[in-house]
Every structure is written in structure tokens, then in C-alpha cells.
Amino acid sequence: MKKMRIKFAIMTTASMLALGASAAHAQEQIRAISAFPQALAFSQSFQGFVDLVNEKGEGVVQITYAGGPEMFPPNQQVDAVRRGVIDMQYGPASYYLGTMPEADAWVGSTVTAAEARENGGFGIMQQAFREKLGVELLAHLDTGVEFHVYTIQEPRRTEDGGVDLSGLRIRSQPIYNAFFEEIGAIPVSVPVPDVYTGLERSTFDGSGWPIVGIKDLSWDRFLRYRIDPGVFQTDLAVVINPAKWEGLSDEAKAIIEEAAAEYEQTSYENFQQVISETDATVREEGMTVVELEDEQAAEFRRMAFESAWARMQAAGSEHYDALRSAYYPE
């Protein structure tokens, strides 16, 4: 009996050591969602980030891309991350302008994510995400993608070479509203899934949208005129639940942070290629580009960017001066 007890004790100890070793080497798991359908170019870019983390984190940490808007409405996803319902999310920061006016720093930015990491702007944005949204900011992906105004019919031109959009109903979202109003257009709020039908029925006259994704959504079937130059910049954030982040091992955190900084640059370069290819394709397929030049082009961009910074300033952000210096150097 004594020998049996000794043998059992040895087996128990061996089992506990094996279990401990297994737990120590278990991969940490993160569940992530996107604000966009998975087929859209932006979601495909996020998949690239997920793949990079999983490659670097094999045996340590892995991200599972769980889905898109079918999981949670896009404008409620960050709250789901804050509450811990989902671990990680990728989507526009400007969905939360009412709570975090600092999102306009990215909308009104003329620098890349890599430059903002160097000049301290990204650190300030991390603080704003923590304070205002209750989540941890990991990355600002897909920078360098500008927005354009598209119309169904050829826009009127002014004598000085500008465009006259007065009275046109243009599909909008919060980042465009003040700018559209300043150039005389009427902003119309329409969810992305409903835009195609609205264009098909001519319920509005155009839309604001980046070059990227215009073909993915088939809006180019109706939007036949694009006004250049582009304005603003994409504001796509990757955020994670703070408790989940703190619970990760130091090794897992280091892997994700390294991948985030690397993929910010990779996604920038990738989208420059996508922009070039899409631009060439839509021109070949008959889209007319209305190009503003010289003073008119400069004024068009100035009005757009200043509308974003004026909105943040009016909201009373305590980070306004520091963010403007970092993201909109003049």
C-alpha cells in the first residue's frame, strides 16, 4: 500500500508538471472583428495585419478574425471591445467623434502613421483612446488614402476654375458635413449598405469616398465624375480591450506592437499601389476626373482640412494644439 501511495504521488506530481508546462506554452488567443465586410479592400488589409501577427506569434499569440458588421453594428463595435464582448476591432475612429473629437486629428492629417509615431502624435492618440473610449490603441493602419467627391452628373465649373456644387445632395458622413456645407453641397446621411440603391434611384447626386473600395462596392457604375485633388486621410484604428491587453504575456505584447508598427508602413505602401491601379482602371472605364489646379486646388484642400481641425477645436479637446502640431504641420 505504501508503495502504491508513493507511486501515485509521483504520477500526480508528474501530471501537474506536465499540465504546467502545457499551460506555459499555450498560445494566447484574441478574437477580432472589422467595421467593414470582409470582401472590402480595407478588411482585406486588416486580414494582412492578422496574418502578420499570427506568423510572428506562432506558439505565443494568435488572432482569429471572427467577422464584420454582421457581428455588431459598426458604430457599436468599439463599445463591444470596451465591455470585453470582443477582444479586438478594426474600423474608423471618426465613428466616435461625439465621444472622442480627437479622431479628427487623423481625418485632418497630412503625415503618415510612421511619422506620427516618431513625432509623438500617436502617443497622444493612445491617451485619447484610453480616456475617451476606454480601449487600448494598437495601430493606425492604411494611412495615405485620401477621400474624393464623386458626382453622377458633370459638376458645374466656376469662372476661376473651381467647381460649383451648390444645391447638390451628396452622400456624407460626419467628417464631410462641415466641408460639404462650406462648398455649397447638401450633406445626406446614408449608411454604406444603402448607397448603391440610393445611387440607382438617383435619390442623391454624389458621394464622398476614397478611391479605394469604389469598385468593390460597384458605386462606380453611377458615380462617373471624380473631383481631384483628394482631401482628408483614412482614420482606421486597431484597438483592443484593456483587460485583455494587460493579461497578455510580455512576449505576446511585444509581438503585436512590432507587427503593428511594421504593418502601418506595409499597408501604406500597399494602398499606394491599390490607389494607382484603381485610378487607372476607373479612368479606362470612362470615369471623368475633374482636376482643380493651382490656387483652386490649394483652397479646396485648405477648406477640407481646416473643417476637421475647426471641429476638434470647437469640441474643446485639450489635445488640440499638440495633435495639430503633430498631424498637420504647416
Side-chain angles (χ1 to χ4, degrees):
M1 180 67 70
K2 184 175 181 182
K3 288 182 179 180
M4 290 179 64
R5 284 199 295 269
I6 294 172
K7 183 178 180 181
F8 178 77
I10 293 171
M11 290 176 63
T12 301
T13 302
S15 297
M16 290 175 66
L17 289 171
L19 286 170
S22 174
H25 291 90
Q27 290 187 133
E28 299 179 86
Q29 299 293 326
I30 296 171
R31 293 181 71 244
I33 57 175
S34 166
F36 307 113
Q38 283 187 271
L40 203 63
F42 292 115
S43 289
Q44 291 300 305
S45 180
F46 179 55
Q47 180 68 63
F49 169 71
V50 170
D51 291 343
L52 182 61
V53 171
N54 290 347
E55 178 186 340
K56 290 178 176 290
E58 186 174 357
V60 179
V61 61
Q62 296 286 283
I63 301 173
T64 300
Y65 190 170
E70 73 280 2
M71 302 282 291
F72 298 94
N75 62 353
Q76 297 176 22
Q77 289 184 355
V78 164
D79 187 57
V81 172
R82 180 186 60 79
R83 293 184 288 113
V85 179
I86 196 76
D87 299 323
M88 178 182 286
Q89 189 259 359
Y90 161 83
S94 56
Y95 282 177
Y96 309 96
L97 273 174
T99 304
M100 190 184 73
E102 291 79 9
D104 267 325
W106 285 355
V107 175
S109 174
T110 55
V111 303
T112 66
E115 290 169 333
R117 281 184 182 268
E118 288 291 325
N119 68 25
F122 185 75
I124 301 170
M125 289 298 287
Q126 285 184 307
Q127 183 180 348
F129 271 80
R130 292 187 197 106
E131 294 171 348
K132 308 293 177 65
L133 298 180
V135 294
E136 187 70 23
L137 173 64
L138 298 176
H140 179 195
L141 300 186
D142 309 328
T143 57
V145 180
E146 295 182 326
F147 294 76
H148 293 262
V149 179
Y150 293 87
T151 58
I152 296 173
Q153 302 295 330
E154 183 174 5
R156 297 184 298 271
R157 302 300 298 267
T158 60
E159 291 183 1
D160 59 3
V163 288
D164 180 7
L165 303 181
S166 58
L168 294 186
R169 293 167 54 82
I170 307 294
R171 184 265 169 184
S172 185
Q173 60 192 69
I175 65 170
Y176 300 115
N177 289 345
F179 173 53
F180 284 178
E181 288 170 355
E182 188 167 356
I183 60 178
I186 302 169
V188 180
S189 179
V190 182
V192 170
D194 299 332
V195 172
Y196 184 92
T197 301
L199 291 169
E200 192 174 37
R201 297 175 179 174
S202 297
T203 55
F204 42 92
D205 304 301
S207 179
W209 195 257
I211 289 178
V212 174
I214 197 76
K215 288 193 65 63
D216 294 348
L217 297 163
S218 297
W219 294 358
D220 59 312
R221 290 186 57 188
F222 310 99
L223 299 171
R224 305 306 295 159
Y225 294 86
R226 188 185 82 215
I227 299 173
D228 279 11
V231 298
F232 300 139
Q233 185 169 190
T234 33
D235 59 326
L236 297 164
V238 177
V239 300
I240 191 169
N241 173 268
K244 182 69 176 181
W245 179 248
E246 288 305 316
L248 294 176
S249 66
D250 289 343
E251 184 179 9
K253 289 179 185 177
I255 288 168
I256 294 171
E257 288 176 332
E258 178 185 341
E262 179 180 332
Y263 199 74
E264 283 176 344
Q265 182 63 29
T266 299
S267 65
Y268 171 83
E269 294 169 358
N270 288 346
F271 271 115
Q272 297 314 298
Q273 182 65 29
V274 171
I275 289 167
S276 178
E277 292 172 355
T278 305
D279 180 40
T281 299
V282 296
R283 288 174 187 260
E284 289 172 4
E285 294 177 350
M287 181 177 288
T288 299
V289 178
V290 178
E291 297 190 20
L292 304 183
E293 298 179 353
D294 303 326
E295 292 182 5
Q296 292 302 321
E299 179 63 9
F300 190 76
R301 284 177 59 82
R302 187 200 65 78
M303 287 192 295
F305 284 99
E306 288 294 345
S307 71
W309 291 101
R311 186 167 49 234
M312 189 200 300
Q313 188 174 39
S317 170
E318 65 274 28
H319 301 298
Y320 173 83
D321 290 334
L323 286 174
R324 179 159 180 144
S325 176
Y327 282 100
Y328 191 54
E330 298 175 80

